[in-house]
């Protein structure tokens, strides 16, 4: 277990007992006319923690995050981000945040270096521009205009702009969309470096492996409510993580069993079979499997609501 | 086949640590600024840095350079070439006239002020609103004051260069005689500064109108174009019907052009103005009034993003 993960002294809702949280949300609600986008969320994110917020499109993820960033006003509830109500966050408060939005489409007439050097000038204690360019792997493109970069490279510029101000709290909204697998792994390294430095990170992503790789805890949001919150390794509860054994009987019928002792179970199947069973698999449910299970079991009705919102 | 090779997951803590050496980035532990934000660079300093940044961006945008920087120069060249054979423009029978180029120079200077301010900023800011630039800036500790210092400063820098280029070309290639009295240049200075400031603020105010970045030019250009036609930029103001002159008098461009005519045309030409006078006092009043309108509307309408209710 990572040392940065909050200890297991969490309440049944998965909330850490720590009151000096980087982010504290109580009863958050956001309605657009009759449509309720966020419907009563409670959540604490500890300082230094990386929290992954998961959920289908239109589930209320972006709305929640944008309320925390100060972009949107809430309809009800209490929110504190680094001790400040984001609805009244001033420039000193913004200087402590790093925000990587979903894809921007700026004209990109500036070079990577110009853009970063300029933005660094807004902050009291910015990172070194060359260090950041190196960290996002754009050294060869430092003197290239942003408009000439590929989608994935532009995304890395977005990330670089988000961290240039040495933020205490970093918002990453689907940061690796458009990255190739190698670039994603490089990006994960970068984020681990930020974590090691003590940066609190709120990550929203569609890549469940990314959430599993980076997140200390994760929350699944659906229909504007938090369906489940917990340590990434414990999300969905122990029962959701019981390994699945699949095989085919000699008559061709597929079988599936869930067991905590898959090796023993497979041995018994082999013994019964008197040989190697067909199409044998032992599966430990990934975060993605658990996520899909949770979202599906939350019901089709809730899902329809999000489609309408999306 | 063993079970381990068929296990598809990577969620264990061990896998997470496998490629996890902390990346070499800013390992300095403590923040110099401290939790209170500390010594954040001042609004003015950031604003000045934005002037350079915005000016660089302006000259790298071919559309902006052509339609707001070079356009008056091109029009002056066309007017001069097209009407050079049609003789001088005279204020009255038997009076001394000026060449068509000389007559249109003040109008083109006024058009340059309008384009550099209104058209440039209205389109630019509406586009920045549409493409996410403003949203990004709104998430940084950039003060709106610094942002607008940058925009207005950029307008001043490029408008001065534009006017200098127009005067240079007029005085050399086109052979137009420029004023020689310090009094005329003083008038030029205040009309220019006041006109550019007014244009810049009106541009910021107008940027709130387009509903998207893509519709910005469609909303802004017709307004600016109509103003130029009724305010004495492309058409001789004295030959427009009075009702059109009166409508034009409600907007700032007519006054900028009139102020510039006072600088560049012989004094005899004042008989062609609406009241037979240059009316520089009214030029100042009209421009200040629009400056205040632009400022108030900008202050009331500007948002980093379209925040919902």
């Amino acid at each position: 277990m990572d040392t940065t993960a909050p200890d297991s002294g969490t309440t049944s809702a998965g909330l850490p007992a720590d009151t000096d949280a980087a982010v504290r949300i109580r009863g958050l609600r956001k309605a657009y006319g009759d449509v309720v986008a966020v419907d009563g969320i409670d959540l604490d994110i500890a300082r230094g923690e990386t929290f992954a917020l998961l959920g289908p499109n239109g589930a209320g993820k972006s709305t929640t995050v944008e309320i925390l960033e100060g972009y949107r006003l809430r309809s009800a509830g209490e929110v504190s981000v680094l001790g400040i109500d984001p609805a009244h966050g001033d420039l000193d408060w913004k200087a402590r945040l790093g925000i990587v939005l979903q894809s921007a489409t700026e004209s990109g007439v500036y070079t990577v270096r110009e853009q970063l050097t300029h933005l660094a000038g807004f902050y009291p204690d910015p990172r070194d521009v060359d260090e950041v360019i190196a960290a996002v792997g754009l050294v060869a493109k430092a003197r290239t205009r942003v408009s000439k970069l590929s989608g994935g490279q532009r995304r890395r510029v977005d990330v670089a702009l988000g961290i240039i101000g040495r933020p205490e709290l970093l918002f990453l909204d689907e940061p690796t969309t458009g990255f190739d697998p190698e670039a994603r792994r490089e990006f994960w390294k970068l984020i681990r470096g930020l974590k090691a430095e003590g940066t609190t990170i709120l990550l929203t992503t569609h890549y469940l492996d990314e959430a599993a790789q980076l997140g200390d805890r994760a929350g699944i949001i659906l229909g504007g409510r938090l369906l489940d919150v917990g340590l990434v390794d414990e999300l969905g509860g122990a029962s959701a993580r019981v390994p699945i054994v699949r095989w085919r009987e000699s008559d061709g019928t597929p079988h599936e069993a869930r067991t905590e002792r898959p090796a023993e179970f497979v041995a018994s199947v082999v013994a019964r079979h008197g040989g190697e069973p067909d199409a044998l698999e032992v599966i430990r449910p990934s975060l993605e499997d658990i996520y899909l299970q949770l979202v599906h079991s939350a019901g089709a009705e809730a899902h329809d609501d999000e489609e309408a919102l999306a | 086949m063993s079970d381990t090779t068929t296990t598809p997951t990577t969620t264990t803590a061990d896998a997470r640590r496998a490629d996890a050496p902390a990346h070499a980035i800013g390992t300095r532990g403590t923040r110099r600024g401290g939790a209170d934000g500390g010594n954040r660079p001042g609004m003015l300093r950031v604003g000045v840095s934005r002037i350079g940044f915005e000016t660089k961006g302006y000259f790298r945008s071919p559309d902006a350079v052509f339609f707001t920087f070079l356009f008056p120069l091109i029009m002056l060249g066309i007017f001069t070439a097209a009407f050079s054979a049609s003789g001088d423009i005279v204020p009255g029978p038997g009076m001394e006239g000026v060449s068509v180029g000389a007559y249109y120079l003040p109008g083109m200077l006024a058009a340059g002020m309008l384009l550099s301010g209104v058209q440039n900023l209205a389109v630019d800011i509406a586009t920045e609103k549409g493409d996410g630039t403003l949203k990004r800036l709104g998430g940084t500790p950039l003060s709106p004051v610094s942002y607008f210092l940058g925009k207005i400063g950029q307008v001043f820098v490029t408008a001065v260069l534009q006017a200098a280029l127009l005067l240079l070309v007029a005085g050399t290639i086109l052979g137009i005689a420029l004023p020689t009295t310090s009094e005329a240049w003083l008038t030029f200075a205040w009309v220019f500064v006041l006109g550019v400031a007014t244009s810049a603020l009106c541009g910021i105010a107008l940027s709130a109108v387009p509903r998207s970045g893509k519709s910005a030019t469609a909303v802004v250009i017709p307004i600016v174009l109509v103003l130029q036609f009724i305010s004495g930029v492309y058409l001789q103001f004295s030959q427009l019907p009075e009702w059109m002159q009166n409508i034009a008098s409600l907007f700032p461009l007519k006054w900028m052009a009139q102020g510039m005519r006072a600088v560049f045309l012989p004094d005899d030409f004042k008989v062609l103005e609406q009241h037979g006078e240059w009316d520089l006092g009214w030029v100042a009043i009209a421009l200040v009034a629009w400056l205040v309108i632009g400022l108030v509307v900008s202050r009331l309408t500007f948002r980093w993003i379209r925040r919902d209710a």
Side-chain angles (χ1 to χ4, degrees):
Chain A
M1 177 94 29
D2 284 24
T3 51
T4 47
D7 60 29
S8 46
T10 54
T11 67
S12 55
L15 298 175
D18 179 14
T19 49
D20 182 32
V23 174
R24 185 185 149 86
I25 305 173
R26 290 292 177 275
L28 177 64
R29 208 168 165 281
K30 175 68 183 180
Y32 300 96
D34 292 339
V35 184
V36 179
V38 178
D39 191 11
I41 286 183
D42 296 308
L43 178 68
D44 281 332
I45 299 172
R47 287 188 189 263
E49 184 183 6
T50 297
F51 189 90
L53 193 57
L54 313 173
N57 287 332
K61 277 192 318 255
S62 291
T63 304
T64 303
V65 171
E66 292 203 338
I67 289 170
L68 300 180
E69 291 164 341
Y71 283 123
R72 287 181 196 286
L73 301 173
R74 59 189 183 272
S75 306
E78 279 173 51
V79 179
S80 163
V81 173
L82 299 178
I84 305 278
D85 179 346
H88 304 110
D90 61 7
L91 299 180
D92 286 329
W93 175 72
K94 286 184 185 177
R96 300 163 64 200
L97 305 180
I99 300 177
V100 177
L101 297 163
Q102 279 184 41
S103 58
T105 55
E106 288 139 304
S107 54
V109 294
Y110 302 104
T111 69
V112 173
R113 185 155 226 300
E114 286 168 346
Q115 182 102 48
L116 277 165
T117 305
H118 178 66
L119 220 77
F122 301 171
Y123 293 89
D125 183 25
R127 286 177 208 280
D128 181 74
V129 169
D130 290 314
E131 217 172 71
V132 170
I133 290 174
V136 296
L138 286 176
V139 173
K141 298 286 178 187
R143 290 171 189 284
T144 304
R145 289 192 193 179
V146 173
S147 59
K148 303 264 188 273
L149 300 179
S150 71
Q153 288 167 337
R154 280 187 84 134
R155 202 71 192 117
R156 287 193 250 170
V157 175
D158 290 337
V159 172
L161 292 170
I163 64 174
I164 191 73
R166 199 184 298 276
E168 288 170 55
L169 170 60
L170 178 62
F171 293 97
L172 293 170
D173 203 353
E174 296 178 17
T176 57
T177 306
F179 281 29
D180 59 49
E182 198 193 341
R184 287 180 71 210
R185 269 161 187 79
E186 283 298 313
F187 172 78
W188 293 349
K189 266 196 224 170
L190 167 68
I191 297 306
R192 289 191 188 101
L194 295 171
K195 278 177 75 165
E197 219 184 296
T199 311
T200 309
I201 298 170
L202 175 53
L203 168 75
T204 64
T205 182
H206 283 305
Y207 299 112
L208 278 293
D209 58 332
E210 186 160 284
Q213 286 284 323
L214 299 177
D216 299 314
R217 286 190 308 150
I220 296 175
I221 193 168
L222 190 67
R225 293 166 187 272
L226 269 176
L227 211 57
D228 195 11
V229 179
L231 297 173
V232 165
D233 297 336
E234 292 173 5
L235 204 67
S239 62
R241 290 169 191 280
V242 175
I244 302 167
V245 179
R246 289 204 188 105
W247 75 98
R248 205 172 290 151
E249 286 290 352
S250 33
D251 60 4
T253 52
H255 282 253
E256 182 178 303
R258 298 197 74 154
T259 168
E260 293 284 9
R261 307 177 69 82
E264 230 168 60
F265 187 84
V266 168
S268 76
V269 172
V270 171
R272 189 148 38 80
H273 248 265
E276 187 70 27
D278 273 350
L280 176 71
E281 283 181 299
V282 177
I283 298 157
R284 288 178 189 276
S286 67
L287 183 57
E288 183 149 334
D289 299 324
I290 293 162
Y291 166 86
L292 290 173
Q293 256 176 46
L294 282 168
V295 169
H296 284 148
S297 64
E301 191 195 337
H303 196 73
D304 289 346
D305 286 350
E306 280 113 51
E307 294 299 334
L309 269 176
Chain B
M1 196 192 282
S2 87
D3 60 344
T4 52
T5 57
T6 54
T7 302
T9 70
T10 53
T11 56
T12 64
D14 281 350
R16 207 190 302 167
R17 217 177 287 127
D19 56 341
H23 206 263
I25 172 159
T27 44
R28 185 146 40 107
T30 51
R31 298 169 52 83
R32 212 194 311 136
D36 60 354
N39 45 356
R40 198 162 44 74
M43 268 185 219
L44 196 65
R45 200 177 115 195
V46 175
V48 169
S49 89
R50 285 208 61 88
I51 295 176
F53 190 73
E54 296 276 12
T55 305
K56 197 183 273 178
Y58 176 84
F59 283 116
R60 286 182 188 175
S61 312
D63 286 5
V65 170
F66 185 80
F67 289 105
T68 68
F69 189 80
L70 295 176
F71 205 65
L73 188 68
I74 292 165
M75 292 308 282
L76 184 66
I78 291 173
F79 273 102
T80 309
F83 300 114
S84 60
S86 56
D88 287 358
I89 294 176
V90 294
M95 297 170 92
E96 202 174 324
V98 297
S99 70
V100 173
Y103 182 83
Y104 277 103
L105 176 63
M108 293 307 148
L109 283 164
M113 291 151 70
L114 186 82
L115 296 174
S116 295
V118 176
Q119 183 169 322
N120 168 28
L121 284 195
V123 171
D124 179 41
I125 296 173
T127 305
E128 289 194 341
K129 202 172 284 182
D131 69 15
T133 305
L134 286 196
K135 189 172 184 182
R136 180 182 335 257
L137 291 177
T140 71
L142 174 68
S143 159
V145 174
S146 308
Y147 175 76
F148 285 117
L149 274 177
K151 290 292 181 200
I152 295 168
Q154 176 261 302
V155 170
F156 265 98
V157 170
T158 61
V160 166
L161 291 173
Q162 180 181 49
L165 194 64
L166 266 172
L167 292 174
L168 185 74
V169 171
T172 56
I173 300 172
L174 304 180
I176 297 168
L178 300 178
T180 49
T181 67
S182 57
E183 198 196 342
W185 287 110
L186 198 68
T187 307
F188 172 80
W190 76 253
V191 172
F192 182 80
V193 170
L194 189 56
V196 170
T198 301
S199 282
L201 284 163
C202 289
I204 295 166
L206 189 60
S207 74
V209 175
R211 301 313 292 175
S212 76
K214 284 186 186 122
S215 65
T217 50
V219 171
V220 173
I221 288 179
I223 295 173
V224 171
L225 202 60
V226 167
L227 273 184
Q228 290 176 93
F229 273 103
I230 67 172
S231 301
V233 169
Y234 300 136
L235 304 174
Q236 210 174 319
F237 192 69
S238 54
Q239 294 186 351
L240 299 177
E242 197 183 344
W243 63 266
M244 197 181 273
Q245 292 184 339
N246 289 337
I247 291 174
S249 301
L250 299 175
F251 298 98
L253 182 59
K254 182 257 185 187
W255 301 100
M256 295 183 214
Q258 189 169 322
M260 285 298 166
R261 285 196 296 271
V263 174
F264 290 93
L265 296 185
D267 208 43
D268 292 344
F269 275 76
K270 69 183 174 194
V271 300
L272 295 181
E273 298 300 326
Q274 264 190 303
H275 305 108
E277 289 294 335
W278 294 124
D279 281 336
L280 287 176
W282 284 107
V283 170
I285 289 169
L287 292 183
V288 168
W290 274 100
L291 182 87
V292 172
I293 291 170
L295 188 65
V296 170
V297 173
S298 301
R299 185 73 188 77
L300 292 179
T301 60
F302 180 76
R303 300 280 182 279
W304 289 122
I305 65 164
R306 294 190 196 288
R307 227 182 201 185
D308 44 84

